[in-house]
């Protein structure tokens, strides 16, 4: 099993605050993806990072893949209530995706 | 609308009963996956299929079986359900390749009593 650990597990913040979610592993992945999941629905892809050190921006979200391709972070600037949800990282190796346990984010107005 | 369809949406099942969760995709993706999602444990891979006619075991395959007779369908069978199989089950598909995203269905909520 290629374990991915996410932290924090829960995060409750006020609208306008910044936050960072971490995804760490002892395994090297050929790519890493971040998903967002809302209650009663399946996860939806936010971004894929492939190259070590890669940084991708999606509006207020910034994703980084570690140089060694073992870890990743998701930074949200000026969080909004619409960002509320479960954030999942997933590492890809050998035709399989391995998911972290998720970070449940609640952004209060 | 293209995507993945899972059925049923929810089910309550007596322990020992047999149950098949259905999954159909219309995107012609070659790879399909079954995950279970439990509180605090994220998504764990049960079985996968890289292409029609082939299947493989994931992290938690015991008590489950799958088949992939064609590209579109990937049913998951619980031969004799046990309470520990109470979970939300997600089917997903992707084109092969390390950057290809997973497309998920909306899940089946299964309760085994």
């Amino acid at each position: 099993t290629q374990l991915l650990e996410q932290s924090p597990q829960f995060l409750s913040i006020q609208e306008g605050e910044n936050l960072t979610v971490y995804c760490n592993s002892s395994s090297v992945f050929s790519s890493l993806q971040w998903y967002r999941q809302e209650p009663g629905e399946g996860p939806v892809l936010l971004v894929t990072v492939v190259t070590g050190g890669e940084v991708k921006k999606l509006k207020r979200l910034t994703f980084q893949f570690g140089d060694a391709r073992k870890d990743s972070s998701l930074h949200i600037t000026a969080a909004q209530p619409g960002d509320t949800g479960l954030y999942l990282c997933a590492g890809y190796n050998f035709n399989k995706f391995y998911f972290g346990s998720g970070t449940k984010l609640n952004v209060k107005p | 609308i293209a995507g993945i369809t899972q059925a049923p949406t929810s089910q309550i099942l007596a322990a020992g009963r047999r149950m098949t969760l259905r999954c159909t995709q219309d995107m012609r993706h070659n790879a399909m996956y079954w995950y279970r999602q439990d509180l605090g444990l994220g998504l764990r891979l049960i079985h996968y299929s890289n292409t029609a006619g082939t299947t493989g075991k994931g992290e938690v395959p015991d008590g489950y079986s799958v088949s992939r007779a064609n590209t579109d369908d990937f049913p998951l069978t619980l031969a004799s359900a046990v309470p520990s199989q109470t979970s939300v089950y997600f089917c997903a598909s992707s084109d092969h390749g390390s950057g290809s995203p997973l497309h998920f269905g909306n899940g089946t909520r299964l309760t085994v009593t």
Side-chain angles (χ1 to χ4, degrees):
Chain A
T1 301
Q2 303 192 14
L3 197 62
L4 276 163
E5 295 184 357
Q6 278 187 245
S7 62
Q9 193 174 358
F10 299 98
L11 196 53
S12 184
I13 61 174
Q14 290 293 136
E15 182 177 1
E17 292 184 13
N18 302 333
L19 67 115
T20 302
V21 177
Y22 299 94
C23 176
N24 295 298
S25 177
S26 57
S27 301
V28 176
F29 293 101
S30 57
S31 71
L32 193 136
Q33 299 179 342
W34 284 92
Y35 291 80
R36 181 165 165 262
Q37 184 179 18
E38 300 200 30
E41 298 181 5
V44 176
L45 180 75
L46 293 173
V47 78
T48 300
V49 285
V50 179
T51 307
E54 183 176 1
V55 176
K56 279 193 175 179
K57 291 192 175 184
L58 187 67
K59 296 182 181 178
R60 295 175 293 100
L61 278 61
T62 302
F63 305 86
Q64 185 162 9
F65 202 12
D67 291 341
R69 290 186 289 128
K70 293 183 179 181
D71 55 87
S72 181
S73 63
L74 157 61
H75 182 79
I76 301 179
T77 303
Q80 299 176 1
D83 295 326
T84 293
L86 179 68
Y87 289 82
L88 296 156
C89 64
Y92 181 83
N93 264 339
F94 311 116
N95 300 324
K96 299 175 195 174
F97 292 86
Y98 298 90
F99 279 82
S101 55
T103 295
K104 195 164 186 177
L105 173 65
N106 180 37
V107 182
K108 294 174 283 187
Chain B
I1 298 175
I4 292 201
T5 302
Q6 289 187 239
T9 303
S10 64
Q11 182 75 46
I12 298 174
L13 186 68
R17 297 296 295 270
R18 179 184 179 92
M19 172 80 189
T20 295
L21 308 185
R22 301 185 298 280
C23 174
T24 300
Q25 56 119 346
D26 60 3
M27 296 172 283
R28 308 301 294 172
H29 286 165
N30 47 15
M32 295 188 76
Y33 308 83
W34 274 105
Y35 288 90
R36 60 178 288 173
Q37 186 171 34
D38 303 293
L39 202 62
L41 293 174
L43 286 153
R44 291 183 292 169
L45 181 65
I46 305 171
H47 285 287
Y48 66 97
S49 168
N50 290 330
T51 189
T54 70
T55 62
K57 292 181 179 181
E59 302 167 80
V60 288
D62 294 343
Y64 305 96
S65 64
V66 291
S67 61
R68 187 91 183 273
N70 57 61
T71 297
D72 298 341
D73 300 301
F74 192 43
L76 175 73
T77 297
L78 289 67
S80 180
V82 295
S84 63
Q85 291 178 311
T86 293
S87 187
V88 181
Y89 291 85
F90 285 98
C91 179
S93 71
S94 75
D95 272 335
H96 244 333
S98 62
S100 300
L102 285 169
H103 295 260
F104 284 88
N106 282 333
T108 293
R109 184 175 292 275
L110 181 66
T111 302
V112 182
T113 60

